[in-house]
Amino acid sequence: MGEPIKIAVVGSGYVGLVAAVCFAEIGHSVICVDNDEHKVAALQGGDTLIHENHLPDLLERYRNTRVRFMTDLGEATRECQAIFVAVGTPQSETGDADLSYVEAVASEIARSINGYKVIIEKSTVPVYTNEWIRRVIERNGVHRDAFDVVSNPEFLREGTAVEDFLHPDRIVVGADSERASDLLSMIYSPLTKGEYYRRPDAIEGCCSELKPPPLLLTSTKSAEIIKHASNAFLALKISFINAVSNLCEAADANVEQVAQGIGLDSRIGPKFLRPGIGYGGSCFPKDVAAFRSVAEQMGVDFSLLGEVEKINSNQKKRFLSKVRSALWTLRGKRLAVLGLAFKGDTDDIRESPAIDLVEMLLAEGCTVVAYDPAAMKRAQSELPPSGQMIYVTGIEEAAKDADALLILTDWREFARIDLRQLHAIMRYPIIIDGRNLYDPQDMVNNDFTYLSIGRPAATPSREPAVLAV
Ligand code: UDX
């Protein structure tokens, strides 16, 4: 498969680690650098550190052979021609992305440059970051011709990151020199030429030899904006359907039918129209805020993004009101909570709306009995176990004697609960579903009061309709 290229990936978080093993999977030789010695030692020893499909297998296959882990960025820079920067860009107090890690990496790379290098931003960064990286490297005495800075944003989702990397909708390469774009085209050629998909052991996904992913070449600045604009647009789509779901609730309509109706328009498309308790995770909240801040700094009115954020945060408050409307008062109520991760298939709780909601419920004096298939360990650092915050190891244990059951994360197993058995163990058969995992009619048939998002409340006939509070 193509010509193997020596690649350094700086940062072993979700993006860096997945990129490192996937570059190895398509034939390259990779050094993954992290300044956290413990992380490096764990990765060398075979611990994947994050919950991600396919990652353990790929790591096992390439660990300490085609993917090496180290802390020495200087050595990695000297050995490799392409250096992908995938370090964190956390949100600062003003909403901007904090680029201090990116800057530190750029200066360190500059000190070790020993021939032509291409430095590639993979972290999500605001437009103009490539110019700053270039300036920092030049300030450290490196000649302009000795390097290029490229933007190659990553669109992977947690939970399906490996598949997203190997079967992308598109590969965006923002480069202002042919030399640099040629190197990136070579790195991705096993995917863009379809060779990877011919392999019998290739990880399956939507691309194939006949339908390989396109590589879009743009300017560096355009690529930087593509990443922010993509995430902001997806967040906007979610806030839009959440606002529509509120309207459906007021009008006694069904948002699932409305989402299907608008999603069938090929110009709109059906994806990212699932209403819920709002988006979370390490990307959308941070990237919407950073994009808004970039626009502001450049004198562009993008207040639309402020509305996207407002709808998102209101969605959690509306859910809390829904819980109240089902239970009347909250103090002293025992609530089963299913889901703490910001979405299903991940152990990530960063900006998780589920965690925010549990905090609100605890502040109201409820006892929360929580279960999540993967995120409980991480959740315990945010919400320490106590008499009021109880962690259990299964759905039934959570539901036992509960005054109501709340579904906050869309894990598949939460959509397959045995409703008869659940009914028998709960104190009151009330389910408040923040992810619309069930058909309301099924719930009524099983004698549950069921409140969901953007759909009429479903109550068994002997129960009075849900009251306003
Ligand atoms: C996102 C982008 O999808 C990805 O392209 C980018 O690289 C990183 O950010 P991720 O954060 O892993 O990926 O999660 P995603 O699956 O996009 O979901 C984000 C949030 O939106 C979750 O909280 C999810 O529950 C919520 N969501 C998603 C909805 O509420 N409704 C939807 O229809 C889709």
Side-chain angles (χ1 to χ4, degrees):
M1 272 197 310
E3 195 186 317
I5 292 167
K6 283 189 166 178
I7 293 175
V9 177
V10 191
S12 63
Y14 278 92
V15 173
L17 186 56
V18 170
V21 297
C22 288
F23 281 137
E25 167 76 353
I26 60 173
H28 303 303
S29 163
V30 184
I31 299 179
C32 186
V33 186
D34 202 295
N35 58 5
D36 181 335
E37 284 172 20
H38 298 292
K39 253 180 147 183
V40 168
L43 289 164
Q44 283 168 338
D47 186 345
T48 49
L49 301 174
I50 52 173
H51 178 90
E52 197 58 62
N53 212 7
H54 299 299
L55 192 59
D57 294 347
L58 291 185
L59 192 65
E60 205 39 53
R61 202 176 305 162
Y62 302 119
R63 177 169 61 97
N64 302 332
T65 54
R66 228 187 268 170
V67 181
R68 287 178 293 141
F69 295 95
M70 61 170 74
T71 52
D72 190 342
L73 177 54
E75 186 184 335
T77 303
R78 285 187 292 277
E79 264 196 52
C80 301
Q81 189 174 15
I83 304 154
F84 285 82
V85 180
V87 294
T89 51
Q91 191 174 334
S92 69
E93 270 166 29
T94 51
D96 303 331
D98 172 356
L99 298 174
S100 52
Y101 299 123
V102 177
E103 183 183 352
V105 166
S107 327
E108 213 177 321
I109 291 173
R111 286 194 287 274
S112 307
I113 286 186
N114 58 344
Y116 176 70
K117 306 283 170 187
V118 179
I119 294 115
I120 305 124
E121 317 161 337
K122 241 200 190 322
S123 310
T124 306
V125 289
V127 64
Y128 282 116
T129 303
N130 74 90
E131 295 210 338
W132 274 109
I133 294 178
R134 184 168 304 154
R135 202 173 293 180
V136 166
I137 296 179
E138 281 186 55
R139 271 185 195 158
N140 279 279
V142 181
H143 193 272
R144 222 192 155 87
D145 295 340
F147 73 100
D148 275 305
V149 182
V150 168
S151 167
N152 169 224
E154 194 45 70
F155 302 100
L156 52 84
R157 291 160 299 175
E158 287 180 20
T160 53
V162 169
E163 198 184 311
D164 289 346
F165 190 101
L166 296 167
H167 295 266
D169 286 345
R170 78 297 204 190
I171 295 163
V172 174
V173 172
D176 298 326
S177 93
E178 213 177 302
R179 198 176 177 193
S181 63
D182 283 352
L183 181 68
L184 268 288
S185 301
M186 235 150 84
I187 291 174
Y188 284 108
S189 71
L191 300 181
T192 54
K193 292 199 176 136
E195 292 157 26
Y196 173 68
Y197 311 108
R198 265 205 301 270
R199 262 173 43 186
D201 64 341
I203 286 173
E204 283 184 15
C206 58
C207 295
S208 65
E209 196 184 347
L210 296 176
K211 202 173 124 300
L215 186 141
L216 177 69
L217 268 179
T218 69
S219 73
T220 322
K221 285 180 196 155
S222 299
E224 289 169 330
I225 292 183
I226 286 172
K227 174 63 194 189
H228 263 156
S230 298
N231 275 359
F233 191 81
L234 292 169
L236 176 142
K237 232 180 150 183
I238 298 168
S239 277
F240 185 86
I241 200 64
N242 280 334
V244 170
S245 78
N246 299 337
L247 193 66
C248 287
E249 283 176 17
D252 227 12
N254 183 331
V255 71
E256 298 296 339
Q257 294 171 355
V258 174
Q260 194 182 5
I262 59 179
L264 281 169
D265 185 325
S266 59
R267 291 168 302 176
I268 297 174
K271 293 182 182 165
F272 276 67
L273 284 180
R274 286 192 323 274
I277 51 174
Y279 60 77
S282 65
C283 292
F284 285 175
K286 171 172 77 78
D287 292 350
V288 172
F291 201 32
R292 185 166 49 78
S293 168
V294 167
E296 233 167 68
Q297 282 164 26
M298 301 180 82
V300 175
D301 177 13
F302 212 156
S303 46
L304 174 67
L305 297 179
E307 291 301 312
V308 169
E309 291 172 319
K310 197 164 105 193
I311 294 169
N312 198 53
S313 93
N314 278 342
Q315 209 56 17
K316 289 176 269 198
K317 294 181 200 138
R318 285 185 64 96
F319 189 79
L320 186 69
S321 306
K322 223 175 267 257
V323 179
R324 204 175 268 128
S325 74
L327 296 176
W328 189 17
T329 62
L330 294 179
R331 177 163 300 280
K333 295 279 159 66
R334 184 181 176 90
L335 301 179
V337 163
L338 299 188
L340 296 164
F342 80 96
K343 64 171 190 177
D345 287 329
T346 176
D347 60 349
D348 198 344
I349 55 154
R350 285 176 288 176
E351 301 287 326
S352 170
I355 298 281
D356 290 345
L357 268 162
V358 171
E359 275 169 356
M360 292 181 201
L361 294 165
L362 293 174
E364 294 279 345
C366 301
T367 295
V368 170
V369 188
Y371 167 66
D372 186 288
M376 294 212 288
K377 201 166 142 220
R378 286 178 193 260
Q380 286 181 20
S381 56
E382 292 281 314
L383 301 165
S386 67
Q388 213 193 333
M389 180 69 222
I390 301 163
Y391 291 90
V392 293
T393 52
I395 298 173
E396 281 170 36
E397 226 184 311
K400 194 165 181 306
D401 299 329
D403 289 300
L405 178 131
L406 277 45
I407 302 176
L408 302 186
T409 305
D410 50 351
W411 280 99
R412 262 177 294 253
E413 70 177 84
F414 297 163
R416 292 192 297 244
I417 305 174
D418 180 336
L419 296 177
R420 266 169 216 269
Q421 202 185 348
L422 186 69
H423 193 285
I425 57 175
M426 288 181 67
R427 182 154 186 236
Y428 298 115
I430 300 172
I431 296 181
I432 307 149
D433 182 357
R435 300 291 187 164
N436 286 4
L437 299 187
Y438 286 90
D439 176 353
Q441 193 52 48
D442 279 351
M443 284 290 171
V444 174
N445 295 346
N446 282 282
D447 213 20
F448 277 96
T449 293
Y450 178 70
L451 275 66
S452 55
I453 309 289
R455 301 184 293 184
T459 45
S461 49
R462 60 171 168 69
E463 272 265 326
V466 172
L467 297 170
V469 284

